[in-house]
Amino acid sequence: MKNILSVNNICKSIGKKQILKNVSFNIEEGEILGFIGPNGAGKTTTIKLILGLQSIDSGTVKINGYDIQHDFEKAIARVGGIVESPDLYMYLTGRQNLMLIKRMYKDIKDEDMDNIIELIGLKNRIDDKVSKYSLGMRQRLGIGAALISNPNVLILDEPTNGLDPEGIKDIRDLIKKLAKERHIGVLISSHNLSELESMITDACIIKDGTIITTQSVTNLKQKSNTSYLIELNKTTGIKKLLLDGDSIMDDTHIRVYRDKKDIPELLENLIGNKFKIYEVQLEKLSLEDAFLEKTGGNIID
Amino acid sequence: MINLIKNELYKLFHKPSVYILMLLIVIFNFIGIFGYKLLVTDDSTSATINQMNISTYETLLSTLDPSNSADVGTYVEYKVTYELLKFENDHSFKSTSSEYYYIENNIKSDLTKLYTAQYINKDDEGVKEAQAQYDKDVDFLLNNYDWKVLVNNEITKDNSMIKLLDESTDSTQIETIKMDIVSLQYRLDNNVPFSQTDASTDLSGYSSAYSTYSSYSTDEKTFATRDQLIQKRTAEKNYKLLKYRIDNKLITNDESYGNSYSSLNMFKGAFTSISFIIVLCVIIISSSILTEEFNKGTIKQLFIRPYTRSKILTSKVLAIFITVLLFILVNALSGVIISAIVNGSIKTLADPILVYSFISHEVIKMNVLSYSLLTFLTLLPEYLMLTFITLLVGALTTNGASSIVGGIGLYIVSSIFEAYATIKWVSFVPTMNWNLSGFLFGGISEYQYVTLGKSIVIDVITIAALVIGTYIVFDKKEIKNQ
């Protein structure tokens, strides 16, 4: 699979402060990369550099093989994006907003636009003024606007900001569908990890303008230790069966760190020692936990 | 590019501001035209004014004592006006009629002679004489009035004056009197009696226009100051244009003659000058088309598209030009239509525009369309400077209020500099050179140190700097966080 977005060692300073230091990552077709970091880490700035909204001090950004600094028109031709918030003309209707964008591209058919309107679920309200839309509707229209050009790269800056759980679910399903069906490569930035967790295939973690790690979500979670929470009839006398790092939570619960293959042996041990077992729960490490581990910092603001 | 421009126009025309500005233009035209009509042609109001004045003068006269030598001069003056007002009140003649003119001139002079003889000279013979003259003239006015008699009297007077002057007299004096005879004959041939109309005033001024014109040397190098040169040229132009009108029988007693709000003048005015409302339109449109997008963030929608920033800016600039042209057309058309409705006629549009050329020293006839277009082109530097200063400040600050201040500031500053035109370096200020219309047809600038060649160079440099500056700032603009 080819790289559709390739960011190489981009640096950006504003005044004396260095905002981005050698930021690099790639996105392939069909990949959904979560761009994760605390506020002020440089997520939006990186996105602005990728889209040509701010200048790049050093480094390169290539989209579909074209350099954004030297071949802007070709590089941006198949890109769709939302930066900070969907930029829509409030005094026009949803349809009029989409029409303005459609006119900027060649060969976009009316039915393509109708398909997008249906896809984003705004068919019944598309002819209302955007000023009357809810935030969720505006986010969806913004995604629609990003899709008009039939892009193969989608760059979404916090697209679920301010949405209710249903709205988030809609966006999530939409993005997964687009990645799968249209082989679009997606970059989503967020600081809300639980929302991203079910959407992304890969995660790129940024802090203070530097990329800390980039890997697939499965890898990220795997490398962290998995824990099991076990509910018993009692915990007195259980210590001799536990290892370093395991903990006794209270009179009836313990937490153990084991690989999956070691669990049956542990349970046999407990039963053999006359403990009664009521519940064995795998505590899946959330992305948030994995993140915390990697960055060593609090990411909830 | 066409699609980009279509988008820009679409956005502009889906907002109320464009329509509000157009409405303002129409309203301003309506007020101007309708107001003029009321002011100039409504005689009913003057009757009320007259009544007020009569009682005022009554009061004034009662405060003065004609036997007192200090008061008597003023007394006579007031008495004449008082009697005249009463007379006009008793016989209501239209203020534009020749009878009214006769009253204001001949009857007034009769009354002056009468009261001077009565109160100042205290000369009974003089009073009798004056009274007889007064009675004769009033009788003529009320019973046998024929304005042609008056004109013929003047012709006779002029002819006897010529006979009196011998050959050694300056030929200019004789020519001047001959010009007067021409204007008098014109009145007879074309039915233009003595009156307060513009037609009559123009004809009356013919002979003095000639004598003023002849008093100046034709060698322009002999004029020391710009003011003197302009006086000479104005006199030349006035005389030559009047002569042309007389030779071609263009002076008529038609109501449209001299009407500054005729359909012709409304159409012409929209192209030959930039009214303040149009200046506002240029600045407001230029400001909003740029700064609003930055402030609302929608500029990003334009930037993440396969177009260079220069192309985006160019589409906005062209949209501004198209919209401003539309405002000018609305100004012209609404002026023409309202004038036609209020004045009852649109046919003045077909009248030729007379222009005096200082190149050929002849009068040129042009139709309103060519004249308007030609003059409009000479105003382009002003339009361009106002547009691009607003755009430049807008691109630099992304602040709507600042960019509007930038544009209006330039406009206000221009009139300040005009007041200091006599200082040489002021002539290098771009706004002193942005109106090239004075140079048409061999004309010169009213400002001492402003010349055509210099103006063109300054205009080109200034506009180029503003345009290039705007494009560079726009191209390099970093989109900061909202």
Side-chain angles (χ1 to χ4, degrees):
Chain A
M1 290 252 205
K2 61 169 180 157
N3 274 343
I4 48 174
L5 171 62
S6 171
V7 177
N8 290 312
N9 286 320
I10 54 173
C11 299
K12 175 78 178 172
S13 297
I14 294 182
K16 290 209 177 108
K17 184 160 188 242
Q18 194 168 16
I19 311 279
L20 297 178
K21 302 164 197 155
N22 292 319
V23 169
S24 301
F25 56 84
N26 298 315
I27 300 184
E28 294 170 1
E29 276 183 358
E31 201 176 283
I32 307 178
L33 179 66
F35 196 33
I36 305 164
N39 275 355
K43 302 190 297 296
T44 302
T45 306
T46 305
I47 287 178
K48 284 186 175 167
L49 261 65
I50 292 172
L51 293 172
L53 294 173
Q54 283 188 17
S55 59
I56 302 172
D57 288 351
S58 65
T60 58
V61 170
K62 286 209 173 106
I63 307 180
N64 289 317
Y66 296 106
D67 189 320
I68 198 82
Q69 290 174 290
H70 301 119
D71 245 324
F72 178 76
E73 281 168 299
K74 290 202 183 105
I76 207 84
R78 294 206 66 201
V79 175
I82 301 181
V83 185
E84 283 168 323
S85 63
D87 303 308
L88 306 160
Y89 297 100
M90 299 296 240
Y91 57 91
L92 297 176
T93 68
R95 189 189 297 278
Q96 288 167 337
N97 267 282
L98 295 177
M99 277 300 312
L100 285 178
I101 298 167
K102 176 173 172 280
R103 224 185 252 142
M104 293 181 87
Y105 294 91
K106 294 199 225 332
D107 308 326
I108 311 288
K109 299 191 200 71
D110 283 342
E111 53 188 12
D112 291 337
M113 195 166 113
D114 291 335
N115 286 341
I116 289 171
I117 293 171
E118 180 122 21
L119 190 67
I120 56 179
L122 284 176
K123 204 161 98 167
N124 293 337
R125 299 291 302 276
I126 199 66
D127 291 305
D128 290 345
K129 285 216 166 75
V130 173
S131 53
K132 297 204 172 83
Y133 284 11
S134 68
L135 181 56
M137 289 164 71
R138 281 183 226 160
Q139 299 276 40
R140 280 187 274 153
L141 184 65
I143 293 180
L147 291 173
I148 293 269
S149 58
N150 193 21
N152 69 343
V153 182
L154 256 190
I155 299 181
L156 305 173
D157 189 11
E158 314 213 9
T160 53
N161 232 356
L163 293 182
D164 62 16
E166 190 176 339
I168 295 170
K169 182 180 181 300
D170 288 339
I171 302 278
R172 185 175 65 230
D173 292 343
L174 180 58
I175 290 172
K176 284 169 92 165
K177 187 173 176 183
L178 289 170
K180 188 165 169 220
E181 290 176 10
R182 298 192 187 197
H183 303 294
I184 294 180
V186 185
L187 176 71
I188 310 183
S189 76
S190 184
H191 52 225
N192 193 332
L193 302 180
S194 39
E195 285 166 12
L196 282 192
E197 189 154 355
S198 44
M199 254 195 273
I200 59 179
T201 58
D202 299 74
C204 172
I205 301 174
I206 183 170
K207 187 177 175 183
D208 290 330
T210 315
I211 302 288
I212 296 182
T213 181
T214 306
Q215 46 193 295
S216 71
V217 167
T218 30
N219 278 353
L220 200 62
K221 286 191 186 178
Q222 235 173 30
K223 286 188 180 157
S224 315
N225 292 336
T226 46
S227 62
Y228 289 84
L229 189 66
I230 302 178
E231 190 184 346
L232 311 144
N233 59 333
K234 60 179 165 89
T235 53
T236 43
I238 204 167
K239 204 153 178 214
K240 59 183 192 297
L241 296 172
L242 298 179
L243 299 173
D244 278 336
D246 293 343
S247 49
I248 299 170
M249 309 294 291
D250 54 38
D251 293 340
T252 50
H253 290 87
I254 57 169
R255 175 176 279 126
V256 299
Y257 292 88
R258 301 280 187 283
D259 289 340
K260 195 171 173 178
K261 60 178 171 48
D262 298 327
I263 290 296
E265 191 183 323
L266 171 65
L267 295 177
E268 273 175 30
N269 265 349
L270 288 169
I271 293 169
N273 280 283
K274 307 282 189 246
F275 286 98
K276 291 193 182 134
I277 299 168
Y278 295 108
E279 198 175 314
V280 178
Q281 192 184 101
L282 167 65
E283 282 183 319
K284 275 191 177 165
L285 191 64
S286 69
L287 198 54
E288 193 167 307
D289 298 325
F291 180 92
L292 273 169
E293 233 184 297
K294 292 290 171 203
T295 63
N298 188 0
I299 51 88
I300 308 297
D301 298 293
Chain B
M1 177 58 68
I2 304 249
N3 280 339
L4 292 179
I5 300 172
K6 270 194 206 161
N7 276 358
E8 292 299 324
L9 289 172
Y10 190 91
K11 287 184 285 191
L12 272 175
F13 284 88
H14 272 79
K15 281 191 289 186
S17 39
V18 160
Y19 301 102
I20 292 174
L21 287 170
M22 284 190 190
L23 189 63
L24 276 175
I25 291 173
V26 173
I27 290 175
F28 275 34
N29 277 342
F30 179 78
I31 292 174
I33 296 168
F34 204 65
Y36 177 82
K37 174 95 177 165
L38 284 178
L39 203 70
V40 160
T41 62
D42 190 354
D43 272 351
S44 64
T45 50
S46 52
T48 336
I49 295 171
N50 274 348
Q51 281 288 50
M52 279 168 49
N53 282 344
I54 289 174
S55 44
T56 314
Y57 277 100
E58 245 170 28
T59 324
L60 283 169
L61 285 166
S62 63
T63 66
L64 293 169
D65 178 15
S67 52
N68 181 343
S69 59
D71 278 354
V72 73
T74 319
Y75 183 86
V76 165
E77 206 186 295
Y78 287 169
K79 183 118 175 112
V80 167
T81 314
Y82 173 65
E83 292 298 330
L84 211 62
L85 283 172
K86 276 207 303 190
F87 190 90
E88 281 165 3
N89 209 44
D90 293 336
H91 309 92
S92 48
F93 292 109
K94 241 180 123 188
S95 61
T96 51
S97 67
S98 69
E99 288 92 335
Y100 186 87
Y101 187 85
Y102 184 78
I103 297 171
E104 284 285 327
N105 287 284
N106 301 54
I107 306 288
K108 182 173 179 177
S109 112
D110 289 346
L111 283 171
T112 310
K113 283 202 190 101
L114 175 64
Y115 294 127
T116 307
Q118 185 178 345
Y119 295 104
I120 299 181
N121 301 338
K122 297 196 172 88
D123 165 20
D124 288 334
E125 269 305 312
V127 169
K128 267 199 207 130
E129 222 180 279
Q131 185 69 50
Q133 183 65 44
Y134 172 80
D135 290 335
K136 182 172 161 223
D137 287 344
V138 169
D139 178 60
F140 170 72
L141 174 70
L142 298 174
N143 301 319
N144 305 318
Y145 187 76
D146 181 4
W147 61 269
K148 293 197 184 181
V149 166
L150 299 169
V151 175
N152 280 315
N153 285 347
E154 292 299 315
I155 295 179
T156 313
K157 273 192 216 158
D158 281 345
N159 278 323
S160 26
M161 183 76 85
I162 291 178
K163 284 209 183 80
L164 279 175
L165 296 168
D166 59 24
E167 282 96 29
S168 63
T169 312
D170 180 14
S171 63
T172 314
Q173 220 177 339
I174 296 178
E175 277 306 307
T176 305
I177 300 174
K178 283 191 180 160
M179 294 290 167
D180 195 45
I181 295 175
V182 167
S183 74
L184 291 165
Q185 191 59 46
Y186 183 97
R187 288 177 183 277
L188 293 173
D189 297 336
N190 296 282
N191 265 323
V192 185
F194 291 115
S195 71
Q196 288 181 347
T197 62
D198 286 326
S200 173
T201 313
D202 280 354
L203 282 170
S204 298
Y206 185 54
S207 59
S208 56
Y210 173 77
S211 76
T212 312
Y213 161 65
S214 331
S215 70
Y216 288 104
S217 150
T218 49
D219 183 0
E220 292 199 339
K221 292 190 188 66
T222 63
F223 291 93
T225 70
R226 177 56 59 103
D227 275 343
Q228 284 172 355
L229 181 55
I230 289 178
Q231 279 172 19
K232 176 258 180 190
R233 284 194 164 209
T234 309
E236 182 182 339
K237 188 173 86 163
N238 282 347
Y239 166 66
K240 291 280 176 87
L241 282 172
L242 264 178
K243 180 172 190 315
Y244 186 93
R245 289 208 182 96
I246 287 173
D247 291 344
N248 293 280
K249 301 192 192 307
L250 294 171
I251 303 182
T252 66
N253 249 346
D254 208 301
E255 223 178 63
S256 66
Y257 186 88
N259 180 357
S260 32
Y261 289 91
S262 67
S263 288
L264 177 80
N265 285 327
M266 292 311 294
F267 185 88
K268 186 172 67 131
F271 296 96
T272 57
S273 66
I274 310 182
S275 63
F276 185 64
I277 183 75
I278 296 288
V279 169
L280 270 184
C281 288
V282 170
I283 293 171
I284 289 173
I285 296 296
S286 303
S287 168
S288 68
I289 208 173
L290 201 60
T291 61
E292 239 175 68
E293 302 246 35
F294 278 108
N295 289 332
K296 303 246 162 84
T298 51
I299 194 75
K300 289 182 256 157
Q301 279 289 14
L302 297 176
F303 280 170
I304 59 173
R305 305 287 166 208
Y307 296 91
T308 59
R309 292 203 184 178
S310 299
K311 285 189 188 141
I312 302 285
L313 182 60
T314 305
S315 70
K316 285 183 179 286
V317 167
L318 292 174
I320 294 171
F321 288 168
I322 293 171
T323 309
V324 168
L325 256 162
L326 205 66
F327 283 134
I328 295 172
L329 285 173
V330 164
N331 193 12
L333 283 172
S334 67
V336 164
I337 293 172
I338 296 173
S339 175
I341 293 173
V342 167
N343 295 310
S345 164
I346 204 175
K347 62 181 169 72
T348 53
L349 275 182
D351 290 349
I353 296 197
L354 302 176
V355 171
Y356 184 72
S357 161
F358 284 96
I359 305 172
S360 61
H361 294 280
E362 275 171 20
V363 174
I364 302 175
K365 208 164 79 164
M366 287 182 97
N367 70 57
V368 67
L369 220 54
S370 335
Y371 179 78
S372 301
L373 189 63
L374 192 60
T375 318
F376 176 70
L377 291 174
T378 62
L379 296 179
L380 281 180
E382 186 171 347
Y383 280 108
L384 289 171
M385 282 192 213
L386 287 170
T387 304
F388 280 99
I389 192 73
T390 310
L391 285 174
L392 180 59
V393 177
L396 279 167
T397 65
T398 68
N399 182 295
S402 303
S403 63
I404 289 179
V405 164
I408 294 194
L410 187 70
Y411 185 71
I412 292 175
V413 148
S414 72
S415 39
I416 294 174
F417 277 118
E418 278 167 25
Y420 294 101
T422 48
I423 304 173
K424 188 156 188 200
W425 67 258
V426 168
S427 67
F428 288 93
V429 171
T431 63
M432 295 295 286
N433 298 280
W434 68 8
N435 185 339
L436 300 172
S437 61
F439 296 112
L440 282 173
F441 310 111
I444 51 175
S445 170
E446 52 180 310
Y447 308 119
Q448 177 86 29
Y449 300 103
V450 174
T451 61
L452 180 59
K454 187 165 127 183
S455 284
I456 291 178
V457 169
I458 292 175
D459 285 345
V460 166
I461 293 175
T462 309
I463 294 169
L466 290 173
V467 171
I468 292 170
T470 306
Y471 272 85
I472 291 177
V473 171
F474 192 74
D475 200 59
K476 300 267 172 272
K477 197 87 193 162
E478 306 261 303
I479 305 304
K480 295 282 193 301
N481 295 340
Q482 277 172 265

